[in-house]
Amino acid sequence: MIETPPLVDQHCHGVLRTELGLATFEAQLVRSAGPPAAGTTFFDTQAGFAVRRWCPPLLGLEPHCAPARYLARRRELGAAESARRLLRGSGVGAYLVDTGAPGDDLTGPKELALAGDAEAFEVVRLESLAERAADTSETVAAFLANLAGAVHHAASGAVAFGCGPHAGYAAALAAHPQPPGPGEVRGAAGRWLAARAGGGPVRDPVLLRHLLWSAVTCGLPLQLHTGGAAPEALTGVVRATAGPGSRLVLLAGYPHHRHTARLAAAYPHVHADLGPALARTGARAAAVLAELLELAPFGKLLFSSGGRGLPELHAVGALVFREALGRVLGGWVAEGAWSWRDADRVAAMLAAGNARRVYRLDEGG
């Protein structure tokens, strides 16, 4: 049996506080632009089958029970108690919580830590800082000053910055990886503020680049979403940010996970997220994990669940990761390719040690 310490979930969001019916649960389970195919549900996916395999026992039911039975049990326990059981049954000891996800009423880091009986640390979304600075600024100069102050203040309390996951970041950085000049930034800020009456997200490519470089110069790790694009498009910014103290963690690489792993292998300051790719692929998670271990040094790969909204996603991410890790590393030990000692050591790196080092969790950030 492969031994691991309590996991560090290096990228997740909070969980919903509200009760969910079948349709709303499925909408959180699989993000889609439309409904499932006629006569099916979004439980008919690898992610849905993984939820039915791993989550019912945490709520006192048999594995693979019907979705209706599972959701009835969830309602019987209530949203808070269900979340508590699912999170505490996942074996996670620390959460790095991205607090910038728009929309849903999600728990913050402190609530998630209490529910999961774990530590929690904040990952600050850069776009959120810009949008809040814009809301309190009447001029371009005031906006840029307020934004600089917000980034500096956030860096004193968070363990990382995050950006994305929209495709605008990848496109902007692929075209122009270097930091924009002061004149470019002032012009972009003026255009965005003028067009932003009533609010609106940051999508201007110059401002997106300015946000990224503001974070890089602060020295905190930066979680960079690939935005669904092949991570190879980010090679320019990866090269440009290669400097003392810079740490990039590439998120959401699946199905481009092999490219993400190659970038982590090629650049000392780049790390790759194992992430929700494992939960999304469910029964095939061991094959995906084995591919990542073929391509990147073991010290460059970090576990995360990518969970958001449903505590089931946090739990499945952790439990599928553990099961896949046992199958892959245990199989190599059985074949004689690895020793148990090495397997346990690498498992500890992937599960927690790499994240604790990259984010300096044991040093206070």
Side-chain angles (χ1 to χ4, degrees), residues 14-38:
V15 301
L16 289 164
R17 300 183 177 94
T18 54
E19 300 286 353
L20 300 174
L22 177 61
T24 49
F25 187 95
E26 287 192 49
Q28 295 289 329
L29 177 63
V30 175
R31 302 279 174 168
S32 174

Side-chain angles (χ1 to χ4, degrees), residues 56-271:
L58 299 179
L59 302 188
L61 299 172
E62 69 281 3
H64 308 295
C65 70
R69 176 169 167 75
Y70 177 77
L71 292 177
R73 175 60 172 164
R74 205 178 187 277
R75 289 191 296 273
E76 177 185 336
L77 292 170
E81 177 62 14
S82 295
R84 189 187 72 82
R85 294 189 183 196
L86 290 162
L87 294 172
R88 295 189 180 195
S90 68
V92 172
Y95 297 98
L96 273 61
V97 186
D98 182 337
T99 55
D104 303 321
D105 179 24
L106 304 177
T107 57
K110 290 183 179 179
E111 287 179 89
L112 195 66
L114 183 62
D117 191 24
E119 296 179 280
F121 304 90
E122 185 176 12
V123 176
V124 173
R125 185 76 68 88
L126 291 167
E127 298 96 311
S128 298
L129 294 181
E131 289 153 17
R132 288 197 293 269
D135 290 338
T136 58
S137 304
E138 296 183 357
T139 66
V140 170
F143 165 69
L144 294 176
N146 289 339
L147 177 58
V151 171
H152 179 76
H153 177 74
S156 67
V159 296
F161 287 109
C163 54
H166 55 81
Y169 254 112
L173 297 173
H176 301 284
Q178 299 292 338
E184 286 183 90
V185 174
R186 286 193 296 270
R191 291 190 299 273
W192 181 56
L193 292 174
R196 194 179 177 269
V202 183
R203 291 293 184 267
D204 185 279
V206 173
L207 286 182
L208 294 175
R209 288 162 53 213
H210 176 64
L211 287 172
L212 179 140
W213 281 99
S214 298
V216 168
T217 56
C218 282
L220 285 187
L222 177 64
Q223 296 184 348
L224 180 59
H225 284 269
T226 63
E232 290 174 324
L234 299 176
T235 301
V237 77
V238 164
R239 289 173 177 161
T241 56
S246 177
R247 289 165 284 167
L248 295 183
V249 181
L250 301 181
L251 302 178
Y254 191 81
H256 305 292
H257 55 290
R258 298 182 69 88
H259 300 308
T260 304
R262 288 194 188 103
L263 286 174
Y267 295 93
H269 68 301
V270 177
H271 299 77

